[in-house]
Amino acid sequence: MPDTVAEVRLLDSGYSREVRSLLYHAYRHEPTFAYLFDADRPGFDQRVRATVRELVNRHFLEDLPAIGLLIEERLVGVALIAPPQRRLDITESWAWRMRMLLTTGLGCTRRYLDYHAAVLGCLPPGPYHILPLLGVHPEFQGKRLGERLLDALHAWCAEDGGSQGLVLDTGNARYLEFYQRHGYQELGEVALGPIREHVLFHPNPRPEASLAGGG
């Protein structure tokens, strides 16, 4: 089957509603979110939806970059990007924390903040881009769109000479091999109850000059 043709586009806040819907559908069955937001307790879907809404709204309010994949103007894949110098802004916002408390409760908010801090704790010193959220809509998975999205992300981040690469994390074992196959290296592992969250790093290409021999 030929690859599905998708357009890569840098998104602005006008796509906020579509981004929230896509990421909700992408994350509602993820094991990490099932643990963080207590899937066995009533209201889980609402907590996931509220969390995605607050993260996406804050992302665009901070004017942070987002890359989307579109097929015939429908958003089918998206990645939110936190540049090195601004990667902590969202969870340090008291307004964001208060909205999370009101929509997901104290326990889930605390669990999310602990998870976020543990992931950042795996990073060595240095400037990196971080992906807070990324996903392909479930209706469009299995069409190599995840690879298309990663290729676009790697190319975009490589243009920033002040960044060493791209960091993401996953608690879904079936994605781990996929990321490793695309050049990601494991930086560390975070225990989230029964979930093992893997923190992964994709280095930016080294400048051509560094490939030349010295002497």
Side-chain angles (χ1 to χ4, degrees):
M1 178 182 295
D3 293 353
T4 302
V5 177
E7 176 192 355
V8 177
R9 190 178 298 176
L10 198 61
L11 306 179
D12 59 24
S13 61
Y15 286 92
S16 180
R17 184 174 180 177
E18 292 175 77
V19 170
R20 293 197 306 263
S21 176
L22 187 153
L23 290 174
Y24 163 73
H25 287 290
Y27 276 88
R28 61 190 296 262
H29 297 301
E30 283 300 299
T32 300
F33 268 47
Y35 171 76
L36 291 175
F37 301 107
D38 202 355
D40 294 330
R41 186 162 58 88
F44 169 70
D45 279 357
Q46 290 87 341
R47 290 190 292 277
V48 172
R49 193 183 296 277
T51 300
V52 169
R53 180 185 68 238
E54 296 304 331
L55 288 171
V56 171
N57 287 351
R58 191 74 194 176
H59 192 88
F60 284 119
L61 183 64
E62 296 285 344
D63 199 27
L64 297 175
I67 288 179
L69 291 182
L70 293 95
I71 297 176
E72 297 179 352
E73 294 303 314
R74 178 179 177 182
L75 187 67
V76 298
V78 67
L80 305 186
I81 308 169
Q85 69 276 17
R86 302 180 64 186
R87 67 190 186 198
L88 300 180
D89 282 5
I90 290 177
T91 57
E92 288 182 348
S93 162
W94 281 107
W96 178 87
R97 291 190 182 202
M98 286 301 299
R99 284 192 292 270
M100 283 288 290
L101 284 169
L102 291 171
T103 54
T104 69
L106 176 61
C108 289
T109 299
R110 181 178 294 159
R111 193 177 285 184
Y112 183 87
L113 291 172
D114 289 346
Y115 144 76
H116 182 78
V119 168
L120 292 180
C122 291
L123 304 186
Y128 307 96
H129 286 81
I130 292 181
L131 298 180
L133 294 173
L134 77 159
V136 172
H137 195 286
E139 290 181 20
F140 291 85
Q141 292 178 4
K143 300 179 183 294
R144 303 178 67 88
L145 292 173
E147 295 182 0
R148 178 83 170 103
L149 185 58
L150 284 185
D151 287 345
L153 283 165
H154 298 161
W156 190 87
C157 291
E159 293 180 4
D160 184 347
S163 174
Q164 295 181 21
L166 185 63
V167 173
L168 57 80
D169 60 279
T170 182
N172 193 326
R174 71 187 179 94
Y175 293 151
L176 186 58
E177 190 274 336
F178 169 78
Y179 287 126
Q180 291 172 338
R181 182 158 36 91
H182 287 83
Y184 282 80
Q185 308 158 6
E186 185 151 357
L187 293 176
E189 189 177 290
V190 174
L192 302 175
I195 308 300
R196 292 296 177 266
E197 193 77 6
H198 299 272
V199 184
L200 306 171
F201 172 64
H202 185 279
N204 279 343
R206 298 173 64 188
E208 292 293 329
S210 67
L211 302 180

